[in-house]
Amino acid sequence: MKYTVFIERYAQKQILKLDKKSIPEIKTAIAGLTSNPRPYGYKKLKGEDAYRIRIGDYRVIYEIDDSKIIVTVVSVGHRKNVY
């Protein structure tokens, strides 16, 4: 089953502000959420209905709606700023 990935406008702006060398790797990780929204190393965030994946020093925060088969990327940023 393929999930549809939506990237919120705020997250899109955050991606554009990141280190130019890291952007392709982050985009690849986000694209990988279509086939597996719970990849190895993902983690559910405490107190929220959201998950995170790690890409080096960067984090992608996203929500999963299994009933609609949708993944929504909420935030992307450096690990010290994203939470």
Side-chain angles (χ1 to χ4, degrees), residues 12-28:
Q12 290 175 358
K13 289 181 180 181
Q14 287 179 316
I15 291 170
L16 294 175
K17 292 178 183 177
L18 297 177
D19 178 30
K20 302 299 180 203
K21 296 176 186 173
S22 302
I23 292 175
E25 191 175 352
I26 290 169
K27 286 184 177 182
T28 302

Side-chain angles (χ1 to χ4, degrees), residues 7-15 17 73-76:
I7 303 174
E8 290 187 354
R9 186 135 177 86
Y10 177 70
Q12 290 175 358
K13 289 181 180 181
Q14 287 179 316
I15 291 170
K17 292 178 183 177
V73 176
V74 178
S75 182
V76 179

Side-chain angles (χ1 to χ4, degrees), residues 5 7-8 13 15 18 20-22 27 40 42 44 46 48 52 58-60 62 65 69 72 74 78 81-82:
V5 175
I7 303 174
E8 290 187 354
K13 289 181 180 181
I15 291 170
L18 297 177
K20 302 299 180 203
K21 296 176 186 173
S22 302
K27 286 184 177 182
Y40 178 78
Y42 87 101
K44 182 163 182 352
K46 293 180 182 179
E48 297 183 39
R52 70 110 168 107
Y58 296 96
R59 304 292 182 264
V60 175
Y62 61 98
D65 186 351
I69 311 174
T72 305
V74 178
H78 194 274
N81 300 326
V82 78

Side-chain angles (χ1 to χ4, degrees), residues 50-69:
Y51 301 86
R52 70 110 168 107
I53 54 173
R54 296 172 25 181
I55 301 106
D57 286 340
Y58 296 96
R59 304 292 182 264
V60 175
I61 310 297
Y62 61 98
E63 299 171 348
I64 303 171
D65 186 351
D66 287 316
S67 63
K68 296 180 183 176
I69 311 174

